[in-house]
Amino acid sequence: MKKLLLPFILMLLTKAYAQTPPQIHQKAILIDTHNDILSNILITKQDVGKLQTTGNFDLVRAKQGGLDGQIFSIWCGEEYGKGTAYAFANREIDSLYALIARNPDKITLVHNSKELKKVVKQHKMAAMIGVEGGHMIEDRLDYIDSLAKRGMNYLTLTWNNSTSWATSARDEVTKKDSLKHLGLTDYGKRIVKHLNDLGVMVDVSHVGEQTFYDVIATSTKPVIASHSCAWSLDPNRRNMKDDQLKALAKNGGVICVNFYSGFVDSTYTPKVAAFLHQHRAELDSLTAIYHDGDLANIRLNAIYKSESDKIRPPLSLLIHHIDYIAKLIGVDHVGIGSDFDGAESYPLGLDSVSNYPKITEELLKLGYSEKDVDKILGGNVIRVFKANVGK
Ligand SMILES: [Zn+2]
């Protein structure tokens, strides 16, 4: 009888003290390494300090979703170049500063992991800056210094467009024969070393495979892929192949999974092409209104929600990317980089920053421990951040 009683008491105690998935989620430090809301704000003039009915991000929903740290993407298209791109980047940083100034009790800019943890303890959001596209430094090291001073915490070496010193994933695939150089040039290597010296993380999302391997051979610090998925599950050029993932793990880096349906689900692209074809005229007029094709696409998907919902992948497919990467290279090398407000479609259930708890719930269901979930949600990114900054 006694033999049976002890396990029974232990079971009751475990149940009484076991934490629920929402409790585990709220306790963890969640950091999302890629959000594009700042680019949209410049056009829409939304105040994301208040609850919004459009888009994926605002400070109210972020609180509900347990989002503790956000790396805000600073981005401009390839039509910006010498004399314009750096200025545009600074305008976007100004808009983040303005958001922070309006909401000092909710959000603070942080420069290292120590400050980040302090701000999280104060129940505020830690804001960080990721500059998405090497074209914004206009080939100048002093512009890197200025951006770092303003809070740049990673530089994505290229966006879809190559720079004079690094080739992008798009160009390495589509313009392979006409490229002036392939991978990182000597100046590109100098830039990587300069970022290492400044404590700015090198972001390898968007870069071509050759650039990626050149970065791995050059960087003395762990690197980040701020918003990419696993190529083996969706062979899109923006995703990372198994060998790249293994090299990233060896470097001590982290890949933060992108929620965009097109990078999660290999069947999405033809489906969305048919949807866009169906609504071409309306997409054209929305593009004329916003002067921005991506934002027009986002709005079109919202207008025809019931239709666009039908082509969204299930949440399980995104979780599969996390699980695949964790099993291939270890749970220490995967994180969250939603790309919210930068794409028109995400897996079902992920409508905004309020929905992150669903990811925690699914990971726990798959048998991930609380410790593992902590690493995936933010622990790994904090480790890489600290290794770069030095504190
Ligand atoms: Zn991107």
Side-chain angles (χ1 to χ4, degrees):
M1 188 66 192
K2 268 184 188 168
K3 266 185 188 164
L4 282 172
L5 202 59
L6 189 63
F8 181 68
I9 292 171
L10 279 175
M11 191 193 81
L12 281 181
L13 280 173
T14 326
K15 276 214 161 160
Y17 291 104
Q19 296 181 89
T20 62
Q23 283 170 329
I24 290 174
H25 182 83
Q26 289 300 334
K27 223 172 93 190
I29 298 182
L30 165 62
I31 300 180
D32 185 327
T33 57
H34 201 90
N35 182 298
D36 278 311
I37 190 69
L38 295 181
S39 313
N40 298 344
I41 284 178
L42 287 188
I43 302 166
T44 62
K45 313 285 181 212
Q46 284 165 280
D47 180 4
V48 293
K50 299 189 175 81
L51 181 66
Q52 300 295 307
T53 52
T54 58
N56 311 122
F57 177 92
D58 57 60
L59 294 182
V60 181
R61 286 179 291 173
K63 193 89 200 160
Q64 291 165 2
L67 180 59
D68 298 296
Q70 179 67 62
I71 305 187
F72 291 92
S73 169
I74 301 298
W75 172 85
C76 63
E78 55 192 305
E79 65 277 18
Y80 289 85
K82 293 253 168 79
T84 55
Y86 173 74
F88 194 90
N90 276 290
R91 267 183 63 204
E92 281 187 45
I93 295 176
D94 290 344
S95 75
L96 176 63
Y97 279 17
L99 175 70
I100 292 170
R102 286 196 306 273
N103 300 277
D105 53 332
K106 292 188 189 133
I107 178 169
T108 303
L109 188 73
V110 301
H111 305 85
N112 54 57
S113 67
K114 228 173 149 180
E115 286 180 14
L116 181 147
K117 285 181 182 166
K118 194 177 144 198
V119 165
V120 172
K121 269 203 185 114
Q122 295 165 343
H123 305 290
K124 292 197 283 185
M125 179 189 282
M128 289 156 281
I129 293 171
V131 175
E132 187 185 15
H135 57 297
M136 278 174 277
I137 66 159
E138 298 183 19
D139 296 348
R140 289 176 57 164
L141 293 179
D142 61 323
Y143 278 180
I144 295 183
D145 298 342
S146 307
L147 289 166
K149 272 194 196 118
R150 297 203 78 194
M152 172 172 66
N153 127 317
Y154 69 66
L155 175 68
T156 315
L157 297 186
T158 70
W159 182 60
N160 289 336
N161 52 319
S162 300
T163 60
S164 66
W165 46 271
T167 43
S168 66
R170 183 193 69 188
D171 292 350
E172 283 194 19
V173 172
T174 64
K175 299 181 188 169
K176 191 142 195 154
D177 298 329
S178 60
L179 289 174
K180 287 193 190 106
H181 64 92
L182 182 64
L184 279 184
T185 63
D186 284 344
Y187 187 62
K189 287 173 190 161
R190 212 176 135 199
I191 285 173
V192 167
K193 284 180 187 148
H194 194 64
L195 293 168
N196 284 163
D197 290 345
L198 288 173
V200 176
M201 294 187 286
V202 177
D203 180 15
V204 293
S205 282
H206 281 286
V207 307
E209 262 185 86
Q210 187 58 52
T211 299
F212 169 80
Y213 285 110
D214 289 347
V215 168
I216 292 295
T218 308
S219 179
T220 56
K221 304 262 178 80
V223 302
I224 183 172
S226 71
H227 58 310
S228 295
C229 290
W231 188 90
S232 286
L233 302 184
D234 182 355
N236 185 300
R237 62 175 180 249
R238 276 279 288 102
N239 289 340
M240 291 175 74
K241 293 182 179 167
D242 288 359
D243 283 346
Q244 287 180 285
L245 292 171
K246 286 175 189 166
L248 179 89
K250 225 172 149 192
N251 156 279
V254 62
I255 170 173
C256 300
V257 290
N258 192 318
F259 297 179
Y260 174 47
S261 298
F263 298 160
V264 168
D265 177 5
S266 61
T267 70
Y268 175 76
T269 305
K271 289 179 196 161
V272 75
F275 169 79
L276 292 176
H277 183 74
Q278 188 82 14
H279 302 287
R280 175 57 57 194
E282 202 161 351
L283 181 65
D284 288 346
S285 42
L286 284 166
T287 306
I289 293 169
Y290 292 114
H291 303 289
D292 184 292
D294 290 339
L295 191 54
N297 198 358
I298 290 170
R299 290 288 188 265
L300 185 76
N301 272 261
I303 293 166
Y304 293 99
K305 192 174 178 332
S306 60
E307 213 176 305
S308 57
D309 273 355
K310 287 192 189 121
I311 58 174
R312 293 167 71 184
L315 176 59
S316 59
L317 214 46
L318 173 72
I319 303 299
H320 190 30
H321 279 264
I322 298 174
D323 188 46
Y324 178 85
I325 296 166
K327 289 209 166 90
L328 184 75
I329 58 170
V331 75
D332 290 327
H333 303 286
V334 59
I336 305 289
S338 67
D339 214 352
F340 269 143
D341 286 295
E344 79 284 357
S345 171
Y346 305 97
L348 283 163
L350 293 181
D351 295 314
S352 80
V353 286
S354 67
N355 298 133
Y356 297 110
K358 291 182 185 174
I359 294 173
T360 298
E361 211 180 303
E362 292 303 313
L363 289 172
L364 291 168
K365 266 193 222 162
L366 278 186
Y368 282 84
S369 67
E370 182 183 353
K371 207 173 148 198
D372 288 344
V373 169
D374 280 357
K375 287 179 177 180
I376 295 167
L377 293 186
N380 294 333
V381 168
I382 294 174
R383 182 195 75 235
V384 172
F385 187 23
K386 192 176 170 187
N388 274 268
V389 186
K391 59 178 171 178

